[in-house]
């Protein structure tokens, strides 16, 4: 049986859902600072740049998907116990474009960029960006989920 021909266009509902999601993120979320990484000499083989640096930060609201605290695992290896902390942030696609994209020419958050959380004064590195979560609600995606871990300082 084919889909109902009377409910094919969800344009009004998509805009409504996106505006409600932005409002919920602004009401229940926290302010964070998105810090894009500037690459000087990227190594395409290893996917890193030892000479990268950070110069700008942009405030944006984000919703903490685990409000009870850090998620993660404890790993025992030959060097001792390693505690992997992880935190997920949900940010709106349109707010990212409006607040950050116009200044940096970024169309989406990148892996390797940093997030500063003033709540606990912690800098976190983006390890993965979920582009399709929640999956095409009413035919369009409206949010990014940033999977972050505490930033390991080197020479940046």
């Amino acid at each position: 049986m084919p889909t109902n021909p009377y409910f094919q266009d969800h344009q009004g509902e998509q805009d409504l859902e996106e505006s409600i999601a932005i409002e919920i993120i602004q009401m229940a979320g926290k302010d964070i600072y998105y810090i894009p990484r500037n690459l000087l000499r990227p190594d395409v083989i290893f996917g890193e740049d030892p000479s990268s640096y950070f110069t700008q930060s942009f405030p944006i609201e984000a919703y903490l998907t685990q409000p009870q605290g850090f998620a993660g695992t404890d790993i025992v290896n030959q060097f001792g116990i390693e505690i992997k902390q992880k935190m997920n942030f949900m940010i709106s696609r349109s707010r990212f474009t409006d607040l950050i994209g116009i200044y940096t020419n970024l169309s989406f958050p990148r892996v390797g960029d940093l997030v500063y959380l003033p709540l606990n004064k912690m800098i976190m590195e983006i390890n993965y960006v979920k582009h399709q979560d929640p999956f095409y609600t009413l035919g369009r995606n409206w949010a990014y989920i940033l999977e972050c871990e505490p930033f390991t300082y080197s020479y940046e």
Side-chain angles (χ1 to χ4, degrees):
M1 182 169 143
T3 58
N4 191 333
Y6 299 107
F7 294 99
Q8 294 297 320
D9 183 28
H10 299 291
Q11 185 62 36
E13 290 86 1
Q14 289 173 348
D15 295 338
L16 176 65
E17 182 187 20
E18 182 177 18
S19 63
I20 290 173
I22 290 171
E23 188 172 345
I24 289 172
I25 290 172
Q26 289 175 341
M27 285 176 21
K30 303 290 182 199
D31 288 332
I32 64 170
Y33 289 90
Y34 182 82
I35 306 169
R37 181 184 296 260
N38 298 317
L39 303 174
L40 287 176
R41 295 181 307 253
D43 185 356
V44 294
I45 295 173
F46 293 111
E48 60 184 17
D49 183 8
S51 59
S52 64
Y53 62 97
F54 304 95
T55 57
Q56 299 174 313
S57 67
F58 302 97
I60 190 170
E61 63 276 352
Y63 180 74
L64 296 149
T65 60
Q66 309 108 313
Q68 66 273 13
F70 288 104
T73 58
D74 298 339
I75 301 171
V76 178
N77 57 20
Q78 66 265 24
F79 302 111
I81 297 176
E82 181 180 355
I83 300 172
K84 292 242 181 210
Q85 296 177 332
K86 189 166 70 167
M87 184 166 280
N88 294 344
F89 300 98
M90 179 184 290
I91 60 172
S92 167
R93 286 176 179 252
S94 61
R95 293 289 292 166
F96 183 84
T97 304
D98 294 345
L99 297 176
I100 299 166
I102 59 173
Y103 298 110
T104 61
N105 295 327
L106 293 175
S107 57
F108 56 88
R110 298 178 302 187
V111 172
D113 291 348
L114 302 181
V115 170
Y116 175 69
L117 183 61
L119 181 66
N120 61 353
K121 297 179 177 69
M122 189 172 219
I123 296 178
M124 309 200 65
E125 184 175 11
I126 300 172
N127 288 340
Y128 185 70
V129 179
K130 292 183 180 179
H131 295 275
Q132 297 178 346
D133 191 12
F135 188 73
Y136 290 99
T137 309
L138 295 176
R140 186 169 76 188
N141 286 337
W142 48 265
Y144 297 115
I145 302 226
L146 310 177
E147 292 184 0
C148 303
E149 288 184 358
F151 181 58
T152 304
Y153 296 96
S154 56
Y155 296 103
E156 291 90 355

